Amino acid sequence: MRAFAWFLGLMVVALAAVALLAYPAWTLLHPHFDFPFHRIGERVGMLALLLGFLALARHLGLADRASLGYGEPRRTFVREMSLALALGVTTMLAVVGLMAALGLLAWRAGAPAGAAAVTKLIVTRALSGFAVAFIEETFLRGAMHTAIERESGTRAAVLLTALLYAATHFFASFHIAPGQVTPRSGVELLAGTLHAFAHPLAIADAFLALFAVGVVLGLVRAATGNIAACIGLHAGWVWVMLVAHELAQPRPGAPLGFLLSRFDGFVGWLVLAWTALLAVPLWRFYLARNAAGQDHALCRR
């Protein structure tokens, strides 16, 4: 568990940096730049996390391609990532279609209309999906999975990375107006960021759904030995979710509305059930695919 403690400690340090350094950074930058206080706090936390991650990777012997999940040859990596992207998009589109069929979604007022606007939406959200997937998978299913697996085994690596993955999705964006910024604002920003955890029952459905998604990604990582498929699946899921958020919203008063989380109007009991159905087939698919790839490599030798 020491490896997990290191990564958990890194998250705590990044959050502490927000509380302690957001106000000093704001006092330095605000006279020259019109950056919102919460944006400065977020960047302080991200910088602390990046610097800490680089140091921790070196300390734990994770500063190499294989440990970060990029051990496959580039052509193979891109091929597997592309296949997983198609699987991710297809499976998440199926979820959105099921939501629509159950009467859970309504068209969002002011949603992008016209070919140009929709195309721009699709392209920009695809880029966002890949950015999220590359960052989170490199950190969680790459370095963190490797470190925990070496020390405590695959099961612990899958479960603990999924736990942290789910928890980080409830770090909310909390805004403080420029006129209300004080030396205590860093602590207030941190408290606002973590306020969702003060009401655990309100986020239970979303947390369990995200934990299940994290488990599936961890199983795929364990089956393949790299994060190519994890990035593709993750990017595909986030891509479709972001587009769906822009085009649709939960239908008020829907009889089955409880299937969508109050946290974000999307992940919830329905996504949890769908993820549970996908878990074993996806895991077996990638086990078989990895075994076939190894056999092919042996034959070529």
Side-chain angles (χ1 to χ4, degrees):
M1 290 296 180
R2 285 179 299 177
F4 178 67
W6 274 111
F7 280 91
L8 188 61
L10 176 58
M11 297 296 298
V12 172
V13 167
L15 292 172
V18 172
L20 297 174
L21 301 177
Y23 179 74
W26 187 82
T27 59
L28 288 173
L29 296 173
H30 186 67
H32 310 288
F33 304 98
D34 190 24
F35 295 146
F37 182 77
H38 71 277
R39 190 72 66 201
I40 292 175
E42 290 170 0
R43 296 301 181 266
V44 167
M46 291 172 64
L47 180 60
L49 187 64
L50 175 60
L51 294 176
F53 176 73
L54 294 175
L56 184 59
R58 290 181 177 274
H59 176 72
L60 297 179
L62 304 171
D64 61 271
R65 289 172 56 87
S67 295
L68 294 175
Y70 293 91
E72 287 292 305
R74 181 178 300 177
R75 179 178 296 179
T76 303
F77 192 94
V78 172
R79 184 188 68 226
E80 294 303 311
M81 183 177 66
S82 300
L83 172 62
L85 176 66
L87 289 173
V89 169
T90 301
T91 52
M92 190 54 72
L93 282 175
V95 175
V96 174
L98 184 57
M99 290 176 180
L102 293 174
L104 300 176
L105 299 178
W107 195 259
R108 186 180 294 276
V118 172
T119 299
K120 180 181 178 182
L121 172 65
I122 291 172
V123 172
T124 56
R125 296 304 179 262
L127 295 175
S128 297
F130 268 107
V132 168
F134 272 109
I135 293 170
E136 293 187 2
E137 293 309 314
T138 301
F139 184 89
L140 292 166
R141 255 69 61 175
M144 186 175 173
H145 182 105
T146 299
I148 297 174
E149 187 175 47
R150 287 174 181 172
E151 182 184 271
S152 305
T154 301
R155 180 179 299 180
V158 170
L159 294 177
L160 292 176
T161 54
L163 183 65
L164 190 59
Y165 169 78
T168 55
H169 281 78
F170 297 93
F171 293 174
S173 181
F174 183 75
H175 295 186
I176 298 176
Q180 298 176 335
V181 174
T182 70
R184 290 179 50 85
S185 292
V187 176
E188 294 169 355
L189 178 62
L190 178 60
T193 300
L194 301 177
H195 81 278
F197 295 102
H199 308 284
L201 292 180
I203 62 172
D205 55 348
F207 187 93
L208 290 173
L210 289 165
F211 178 76
V213 170
V215 169
V216 170
L217 290 171
L219 289 173
V220 171
R221 165 66 165 88
T224 61
N226 61 78
I227 62 170
C230 298
I231 291 174
L233 288 168
H234 196 159
W237 291 336
V238 172
W239 184 10
V240 174
M241 284 180 60
L242 291 176
V243 173
H245 270 300
E246 292 287 338
L247 298 179
Q249 62 186 4
R251 184 182 298 277
L256 297 176
F258 67 91
L259 293 174
L260 302 183
S261 171
R262 288 175 292 173
F263 171 69
D264 68 349
F266 196 96
V267 295
W269 300 120
L270 181 61
V271 172
L272 173 60
W274 185 254
T275 304
L277 287 174
L278 286 177
V280 173
L282 268 178
W283 176 58
R284 288 181 173 174
F285 171 76
Y286 277 106
L287 277 176
R289 187 168 179 82
N290 189 55
Q294 291 178 350
D295 290 342
H296 180 67
L298 289 174
C299 290
R300 290 182 63 183
R301 292 178 186 175

